[in-house]
Amino acid sequence: MIVAKRKPLDEIKEMLKPYNKILVLGCGSCVAVCMAGGEKEAGLLSTELQMAFEMDKTLPPSGGTPPGSAKQIDTITILRQCDREYIDEVKDKLVQYDAILSVACGVGVQFTAEVLNGEKVLLPGLNTTFLGATKEPGMWVERCLACGDCILDETGGVCPITMCSKSLMNGPCGGHEKGKCEVDRNRDCGWVLIYERLKKLGKLELIKDIKLPKNYGAVKRPDKIVHEAYQVVGKEEVKK
Amino acid sequence: MSKLGEALKSGKFVITSEVGPPKGINMTSCLDEAKHFGEKVAAINVTDIQSAVMRVGSLATCIKLKERGYEPIMQMVCRDRNRLSLQSELLNAAVFGIENILCLTGDHQTLGDHPQAKGVFDLDSVQLIATAKGLMEGKDLAGNKLDGIPTFFLGGVVSPGLDPVELQIIKLEKKVRAGARFIQTQSVFESDKFRQFIDKVHSMGINIPILAGIIILKSVGMAKFMNENVAGVFVPDNLIKEMKETKDKQAKAVEIAARIIREVKPYCQGVHIMPLGWGHLVPEIIKQAGLSLTPM
Amino acid sequence: MEFEPNILAFCCQFCAYSAADLAGSMRLQYPPNVRIIRLLCTGKVDPLHLLKPFQEGWDGVFVAGCLEGECYFLHGNLHAKQWVNYTKKLLKEIGIEPERLEMFNMSAAMGTKFADTVREMTERIKKLGPSPLRGTEELKNRRTEEQVTDK
């Protein structure tokens, strides 16, 4: 899933300053699972914002800061902000607000903005961080860099591109110590993980080959994928 | 072949040392340090943006050393350049007649003085060696022909003190296969552990000149710092005790370094002395280790 | 007139709620500033439950669950502790003193502890003063009505 983290409240408040009628738009998929932007978190954020703006109003203006104006903050959560059909369902409501604070990943924010096509301001409530898995309740860990050229078959199912902080392909650097990475001594060295996994699998010879430089051109960023079934009678073809 | 290559080929015990380029363009102290030992060692390493702290580049410093008649070893790390830039820098070096290239991964950018920098690591150290070897064969990484073919004497590094040692040796073997002609090691303080490492290397059938890394131990604080923070380096208690009890730290540093050199000498083809600012001691270390002061 | 805080308590029915009952039976005196909401388990509290009272102008909130290790649902009180700590951070972000929110643990036999807890929270909130969000006329009216109906 895509893992994200909520932006600091002050940063969000600053973004929202010019707007009075605000919608916090939650996303019910990845960011709901990682407890950053689902229905619950969207509700919590809008309550926090209401309280914070209310505080600004009650506190005497100090240091030249004007007191906050009355703001209306509502919440809607849709199943996915990366699928047009879900955005279309609420589009009529979205356009009624001055600004939409999307607590989806960067994909969701951009795609909702794309659908609204300049009709309304879209603001990001989260910092999108990585592709990860749930390691334990409340903890998510990065596991894939979406390089477009998977080599997990050669490394015992541990990705050197992701799990090695330097994405090395032919073994560890000289910075690991007691199985931990030089960048953070609490983090496992990806190459020690690969070594141990391959040893268990009895396939250590897999890392004895010299791996050629990676094809970083495998993904032509920003990339596009069209399913083969759609290539023949794809939308573009039909238009022609 | 480079002078370093010839020295190693001759079978003589080879001594190299090292300088770090400055932050800013005042090269005086860096070149002065080289002056202390420049004529007494076979070659001088120049670090490449060492510890990810921004400074003068390796190539510029190598050129300065070469102008003064010293034999430079240009270190190259994979952190700051992609494959275009790395290959180009290799050609730059060759244009200036710099042949000795030591390929390393490089410390992670977050550990340096620009922790927000984007790390590159487009190639790793094995791939960099193989790429340089490819240039020597007249082809770049994409397979295009070169007009004018460079010559390099390529080296790699290994850290004998790291666990699992098998993983270190697997990578070492890859470096040799990729085209490395000499190997420098991380700093050695325990000669018996070093010997065990060399035995393992030989038992894997790897045959390449290895230069044991020797860091000049300056103080107890430095020893403790390295034990806690530098991966693969371990200063044993007896050395820390010796440093603690001595009145003349520089004399003791020389004595310890010379002793380690004598102890590791039977198991390697040379030593690489890292003076870390105490370059003036290098000649005395060489003397006390019972080695010749005329390398060539 | 001295400031009388309004404090909301989320109490687990197996411990703190019974402890409150016991405090009554024991005829223990404690400040009348607390309104109690009974929960099946404190594991049910959500940051939104803890935040909303503050939004509505309450001066303090506490959660009282079973002693650690004695939750009827194994970890409910530990979850509550996590969420209380998290909500404290949210309050701080908003600009409200996190001390206005607290987690307590007690057993059903601890009537005295319940009374002490109420006393402690009342004192604490009195020192902090009214919540910055204690506010609108509408709220004040609503609260008076509630107090009337309580009687």
Side-chain angles (χ1 to χ4, degrees):
Chain A
M1 91 190 97
I2 297 172
V3 181
K5 196 171 188 283
R6 209 204 68 197
K7 280 179 176 290
L9 193 68
D10 284 345
E11 193 183 331
I12 297 176
K13 267 175 72 185
E14 195 58 34
M15 275 191 262
L16 295 178
K17 230 177 198 170
Y19 310 104
N20 288 323
K21 208 174 164 209
I22 298 155
L23 181 74
V24 178
L25 184 62
C27 182
S29 295
C30 311
V31 293
V33 179
C34 70
M35 294 162 76
E39 188 173 12
K40 207 166 186 174
E41 293 76 26
L44 200 55
L45 177 59
S46 79
T47 303
E48 257 197 283
L49 286 167
Q50 282 164 13
M51 290 170 75
F53 284 121
E54 192 67 26
M55 291 275 290
D56 289 351
K57 221 166 60 179
T58 55
L59 290 173
S62 57
T65 323
S69 52
K71 287 190 197 283
Q72 181 192 335
I73 303 174
D74 299 329
T75 310
I76 297 178
T77 299
I78 60 177
L79 186 59
R80 276 202 292 280
Q81 291 187 31
C82 55
D83 253 327
R84 194 176 178 115
E85 55 179 299
Y86 301 107
I87 305 169
D88 280 340
E89 268 177 20
V90 292
K91 200 179 162 189
D92 291 348
K93 288 183 193 149
L94 300 188
V95 294
Q96 290 167 18
Y97 291 86
D98 299 341
I100 297 151
L101 177 72
S102 164
V103 284
C105 67
V107 178
V109 180
Q110 286 190 63
F111 202 63
T112 308
E114 206 173 311
V115 172
L116 294 181
N117 194 22
E119 276 183 70
K120 286 295 157 190
V121 175
L122 250 288
L123 303 166
L126 306 182
N127 289 322
T128 306
T129 316
F130 54 78
L131 304 185
T134 310
K135 177 103 175 172
E136 53 186 74
M139 186 203 281
W140 296 274
V141 286
E142 186 168 15
R143 285 294 180 265
C144 180
L145 278 174
C147 73
D149 184 20
C150 193
I151 53 162
L152 284 167
D153 55 322
E154 299 168 9
T155 52
V158 180
C159 172
I161 306 303
T162 313
M163 302 304 284
C164 167
S165 59
K166 299 172 184 172
S167 297
L168 303 180
M169 295 182 71
N170 280 294
C173 71
H176 70 95
E177 178 104 79
K178 296 190 180 85
K180 300 294 174 182
C181 174
E182 73 174 21
V183 174
D184 178 352
R185 293 288 180 217
N186 295 313
R187 187 199 292 169
D188 290 330
C189 165
W191 269 99
V192 173
L193 293 178
I194 291 170
Y195 170 79
E196 282 166 357
R197 176 74 57 79
L198 286 176
K199 217 172 160 185
K200 262 189 206 163
L201 292 169
K203 289 186 183 297
L204 209 51
E205 73 283 354
L206 282 173
I207 51 170
K208 292 180 181 168
D209 292 336
I210 294 176
K211 302 280 186 293
L212 296 176
K214 191 167 178 61
N215 175 14
Y216 283 103
V219 181
K220 286 158 193 67
R221 302 185 193 276
D223 212 340
K224 177 176 81 175
I225 291 176
V226 182
H227 190 285
E228 280 175 30
Y230 289 76
Q231 281 169 354
V232 191
V233 264
K235 281 177 191 162
E236 284 167 23
E237 295 266 328
V238 171
K239 269 178 204 161
K240 277 177 206 166
Chain B
M1 193 186 277
S2 76
K3 283 190 205 164
L4 175 68
E6 279 163 13
L8 285 167
K9 202 181 165 193
S10 75
K12 256 171 112 177
F13 194 74
V14 167
I15 305 161
T16 61
S17 193
E18 177 172 305
V19 294
K23 196 179 191 79
I25 61 166
N26 181 357
M27 299 295 288
T28 316
S29 67
C30 166
L31 294 174
D32 281 354
E33 183 163 22
K35 217 185 272 174
H36 289 300
F37 50 73
E39 280 154 13
K40 300 179 177 68
V41 296
I44 304 173
N45 271 238
V46 180
T47 52
D48 183 16
I49 317 189
Q50 189 177 14
S51 310
V53 174
M54 193 289 295
R55 57 184 86 202
V56 167
S58 186
L59 177 57
T61 312
C62 284
I63 293 167
K64 287 280 179 196
L65 291 177
K66 203 170 167 63
E67 281 172 3
R68 281 160 179 70
Y70 307 135
E71 172 83 351
I73 300 174
M74 184 168 111
Q75 293 193 358
M76 280 187 94
V77 300
C78 300
R79 176 192 57 234
D80 308 313
R81 284 179 279 232
N82 67 9
R83 62 191 79 180
L84 294 168
S85 184
L86 286 169
Q87 292 181 92
S88 171
E89 188 78 342
L90 283 164
L91 296 181
N92 291 342
V95 166
F96 284 96
I98 289 153
E99 294 185 7
N100 307 310
I101 310 286
L102 186 78
C103 303
L104 309 93
T105 307
D107 289 333
H108 198 270
Q109 63 278 4
T110 54
L111 305 176
D113 67 347
H114 289 60
Q116 292 168 332
K118 181 175 185 182
V120 181
F121 301 109
D122 186 22
L123 302 183
D124 64 25
S125 54
V126 174
Q127 293 161 349
L128 179 57
I129 293 169
T131 303
K133 175 109 181 291
L135 296 176
M136 287 166 70
E137 289 158 3
K139 292 264 174 73
D140 72 9
L141 201 44
N144 302 312
K145 262 193 177 161
L146 302 181
D147 176 11
I149 296 169
T151 310
F152 298 118
F153 188 69
L154 302 168
V157 293
V158 73
S159 195
L162 284 184
D163 242 3
V165 71
E166 186 183 8
L167 192 49
Q168 284 297 309
I169 296 176
I170 288 173
K171 193 167 183 185
L172 172 66
E173 193 277 326
K174 288 200 213 183
K175 288 179 180 179
V176 176
R177 210 180 335 147
R181 305 284 301 278
F182 71 103
I183 295 292
Q184 268 176 217
T185 78
Q186 178 59 286
S187 178
V188 176
F189 286 101
E190 297 167 294
S191 48
D192 48 338
K193 285 201 179 144
F194 179 73
R195 181 178 50 78
Q196 288 165 15
F197 176 78
I198 295 295
D199 286 348
K200 276 195 194 109
V201 170
H202 288 160
S203 72
M204 302 271 289
I206 302 167
N207 198 9
I208 185 167
I210 292 181
L211 309 182
I214 306 289
I215 282 184
I216 300 180
L217 190 59
K218 293 181 180 175
S219 66
V220 174
M222 178 190 179
K224 286 184 176 160
F225 177 84
M226 288 197 296
N227 283 353
E228 277 165 29
N229 298 297
V230 183
V233 176
F234 180 71
V235 186
D237 290 343
N238 61 317
L239 292 184
I240 295 179
K241 198 166 159 246
E242 275 187 56
M243 274 319 270
K244 206 180 270 175
E245 285 165 1
T246 184
K247 282 195 182 115
D248 187 345
K249 291 233 181 313
Q250 300 210 357
K252 184 50 95 179
V254 169
E255 187 200 317
I256 291 174
R259 189 198 315 152
I260 297 169
I261 294 175
R262 282 198 306 272
E263 286 171 2
V264 299
K265 190 167 179 257
Y267 313 109
C268 54
Q269 284 66 48
V271 287
H272 170 61
I273 304 171
M274 292 167 263
L276 306 174
W278 279 13
H280 60 286
L281 299 181
V282 172
E284 185 59 24
I285 292 170
I286 298 173
K287 206 172 130 197
Q288 282 197 24
L291 301 170
S292 161
L293 285 176
T294 45
M296 295 306 163
Chain C
M1 206 174 75
E2 201 193 348
F3 157 58
E4 287 298 337
N6 292 312
I7 299 171
L8 192 63
F10 291 95
C11 293
C12 159
Q13 64 169 14
F14 290 104
C15 52
Y17 193 80
S18 308
D21 217 16
L22 182 61
S25 312
M26 289 165 78
R27 302 191 179 275
L28 294 174
Q29 292 287 325
Y30 62 84
N33 304 59
V34 169
R35 298 290 173 278
I36 297 177
I37 292 178
R38 185 180 65 161
L39 298 176
L40 189 61
C41 170
T42 52
K44 187 70 193 125
V45 295
D46 182 281
L48 205 51
H49 297 145
L50 301 176
L51 216 49
K52 279 282 177 189
F54 288 107
Q55 188 184 17
E56 290 179 5
W58 289 75
D59 303 300
V61 175
F62 73 83
V63 179
C66 300
L67 296 170
E68 287 187 12
E70 292 182 13
C71 173
Y72 271 62
F73 304 97
L74 302 176
H75 305 301
N77 52 354
L78 299 178
H79 286 293
K81 188 179 170 182
Q82 276 181 342
W83 289 123
V84 167
N85 286 336
Y86 175 69
T87 310
K88 276 170 174 266
K89 284 186 189 133
L90 300 185
L91 286 173
K92 204 173 164 200
E93 270 188 326
I94 295 164
I96 294 172
E97 302 92 337
E99 299 80 21
R100 291 182 185 276
L101 173 65
E102 204 55 80
M103 172 88 197
F104 294 96
N105 300 87
M106 61 191 70
S107 78
M110 296 179 173
T112 318
K113 166 93 190 227
F114 183 83
D116 289 347
T117 300
V118 174
R119 212 169 291 124
E120 184 191 327
M121 275 308 275
T122 309
E123 285 312 308
R124 186 193 289 191
I125 305 296
K126 272 187 179 172
K127 270 186 201 142
L128 289 168
S131 159
L133 284 177
R134 184 188 251 248
T136 64
E137 285 306 307
E138 182 205 355
L139 262 173
K140 271 182 203 156
N141 293 340
R142 201 164 80 205
R143 210 161 293 141
T144 327
E145 276 169 34
E146 279 167 9
Q147 277 161 5
V148 171
T149 32
D150 275 358
K151 278 166 197 168

